[in-house]
Amino acid sequence: MNYQKKTVVASVTGLTLEGMDIMFISFAMSMIIAEFHLDMATGGLISSITNLGMLFGGILFGILADKFGRVKVFTYTVLIFAIGTALTGLAGNVEQVYLFRFIAGVGAGGEYGIGMTLVAEAWPKNKQGRASSYVSIGAQFGVILAALLSAMILPTFGWRGLFFVGIIPVIFAFFVRKNLNESPEWLAAQKEKRQAAVKQGNVKQLFANPRTAYTTIALAIMASVQIAGYNGLMIWLPSILQTSQGLSVSGSALWTISTAVGMMAGMLTFGQVMDRFGMKKAYGFFLAASAVAVFLYSFATGAAGVLIGGAIVGFFSNGMFAGYGALISYYFPIEVRSTATNTIFNFGRALGGLSPIFVGFILQHANVTIAMSYLAILYCISFIAMISLRKGKGEQTRVALKNLSEVV
């Protein structure tokens, strides 16, 4: 296996384990709420705290990966993520659950961006889209794996036994550290660093000049919309369909499967479209299609319409997830690439993770059409942010970073 394939396998496995861990909470939530006698809001706070951990870990480990190397820091994030997950199974009260989920989030938030950066630096520009799409599908594998493990473990060993599975990533971290070399592009940048006074791994570098600051903000908006759309759809639509379409729980589960299949197909397609037609055209088409598909889906009726429509919505709305690693890497130089990827996308996770609250509020006071219109408007906002992006000259960005480092 060559180096390029190794980066994909390592990143896919990392994102699969991360997706598995996140879904563990969904499957175990009712048991946790019952054991600790929690109300729904207190239980829901578990996911919010995990997202805050991801934001903190994303910024911290993105900076460290730019300073000390991708592979070394990547393995540390996986270890922290595994420890936090396993410790969750030992929690004696909800406060300890919060603490251990925050720790798991710190590791997971760091792992995502570093893995994506490794892939972006290993693959040529004309193949980064498809390579990133392979990695992104790992999260969907994690959902499937979590469902299978939950079905096997929860009835016998309870929710604590489920989280003890989190120790498995420790083995993966050891394997990565032993078999994956450091990014050649990062190593080359380290040599250049000795001649150029460029400060690596600093969040201030994401706002080094007006153009860079605008790029950072625009990409953060896009990432937030991506997460907001996904969470808003996947958390609320199954229950909406049960009520509005009269679907049974098994019917809504079938919808979830068809939507997930559409998402995976969309990711693979998006990677190919990005490599062939470029990032802006790929995102432009998928964002516009997402806005239209989400709005029209509110008028879907009948089992066939609901299932096919769900697959189409998933295809466009989550297919774009495949490109964010390559997208952010494209706009930032290697000196700050992991910092940018982790900070921007995990900010999107934290902000976009609030979307279910707004969707729930709309559903309580309005109707499904208004809720879906809200999501469609979000995709329009992301479209505007995307078309406003301008690729800066690499040397100009590098000079700006050098000037900033001298000031700092």
Side-chain angles (χ1 to χ4, degrees):
M1 187 182 299
N2 62 27
Y3 182 76
Q4 291 178 336
K5 292 180 180 179
K6 284 183 178 180
T7 62
V8 170
V9 170
S11 299
V12 167
T13 306
L15 199 56
T16 297
L17 294 171
E18 179 185 328
M20 177 191 75
D21 169 83
I22 292 172
M23 286 305 297
F24 277 172
I25 283 293
S26 298
F27 288 110
M29 183 65 79
S30 60
M31 289 186 174
I32 295 174
I33 287 175
E35 179 169 334
F36 295 125
H37 308 290
L38 309 176
D39 57 35
M40 297 298 289
T42 305
L45 189 57
I46 296 173
S47 294
S48 299
I49 288 177
T50 304
N51 286 334
L52 289 176
M54 287 182 175
L55 177 58
F56 177 79
I59 296 173
L60 173 64
F61 288 111
I63 292 172
L64 294 177
D66 283 328
K67 288 179 177 292
F68 302 112
R70 316 307 194 201
V71 175
K72 181 187 299 184
V73 178
F74 182 80
T75 56
Y76 293 152
T77 65
V78 175
L79 287 172
I80 293 172
F81 156 70
I83 292 171
T85 302
L87 286 176
T88 303
L90 299 174
N93 52 55
V94 69
E95 288 77 16
Q96 291 180 4
V97 173
Y98 291 155
L99 173 62
F100 297 145
R101 293 310 301 159
F102 182 83
I103 293 172
V106 169
E111 177 272 327
Y112 169 81
I114 299 173
M116 283 296 191
T117 300
L118 270 171
V119 171
E121 292 176 356
W123 289 75
K125 297 293 184 184
N126 63 340
K127 293 183 179 180
Q128 285 184 2
R130 68 196 74 178
S132 294
S133 70
Y134 301 150
V135 176
S136 299
I137 287 178
Q140 304 303 318
F141 291 155
V143 172
I144 296 172
L145 185 59
L148 294 174
L149 289 172
S150 297
M152 292 186 293
I153 295 174
L154 285 176
T156 305
F157 300 101
W159 68 270
R160 296 180 183 277
L162 189 63
F163 285 101
F164 289 150
V165 176
I167 204 67
I168 292 176
V170 173
I171 302 172
F172 165 64
F174 173 79
F175 177 82
V176 169
R177 190 65 174 271
K178 185 177 180 180
N179 293 278
L180 188 62
N181 295 324
E182 189 53 78
S183 162
E185 191 172 345
W186 182 83
L187 291 173
Q190 289 299 101
K191 292 182 180 179
E192 293 182 10
K193 180 183 173 183
R194 297 187 183 96
Q195 285 81 37
V198 176
K199 190 178 181 67
Q200 290 181 286
N202 190 314
V203 175
K204 290 182 180 179
Q205 293 169 301
L206 305 185
F207 304 90
N209 56 50
R211 170 178 280 183
T212 303
Y214 184 85
T215 298
T216 298
I217 293 171
L219 290 172
I221 290 172
M222 293 180 65
S224 298
V225 169
Q226 180 66 41
I227 301 301
Y230 177 82
N231 286 349
L233 289 169
M234 297 303 290
I235 289 178
W236 280 112
L237 271 185
S239 60
I240 290 173
L241 295 173
Q242 288 177 32
T243 302
S244 64
Q245 300 294 325
L247 293 184
S248 63
V249 174
S250 60
S252 63
L254 184 59
W255 172 86
T256 302
I257 293 172
S258 70
T259 304
V261 170
M263 289 177 177
M264 288 189 282
M267 289 176 184
L268 291 174
T269 303
F270 186 85
Q272 299 287 336
V273 172
M274 175 184 283
D275 287 339
R276 184 168 183 179
F277 298 103
M279 294 182 183
K280 299 197 74 169
K281 290 182 179 179
Y283 270 100
F285 175 71
F286 270 69
L287 283 168
S290 295
V292 174
V294 165
F295 177 74
L296 293 179
Y297 191 51
S298 62
F299 300 100
T301 58
V306 166
L307 291 176
I308 296 173
I312 293 173
V313 168
F315 180 93
F316 288 111
S317 66
N318 211 51
M320 296 177 290
F321 181 81
Y324 278 92
L327 177 68
I328 298 173
S329 295
Y330 175 76
Y331 281 98
F332 290 91
I334 189 171
E335 292 88 356
V336 72
R337 188 169 292 157
S338 282
T339 302
T341 303
N342 267 355
T343 300
I344 290 171
F345 201 80
N346 284 298
F347 175 83
R349 275 174 164 167
L351 183 60
L354 300 175
S355 180
I357 298 175
F358 292 103
V359 174
F361 179 83
I362 293 172
L363 290 172
Q364 185 175 346
H365 295 87
N367 54 45
V368 175
T369 301
I370 300 300
M372 299 299 271
S373 297
Y374 154 75
L375 295 176
I377 290 171
L378 289 183
Y379 288 118
C380 292
I381 292 172
S382 183
F383 180 87
I384 294 171
M386 181 276 305
I387 61 175
S388 69
L389 287 172
R390 295 290 183 270
K391 173 64 175 175
K393 301 296 183 182
E395 188 57 35
Q396 290 178 351
T397 305
R398 197 176 296 269
V399 169
L401 295 181
K402 178 179 178 181
N403 292 338
L404 178 63
S405 68
E406 291 173 348
V407 172
V408 174

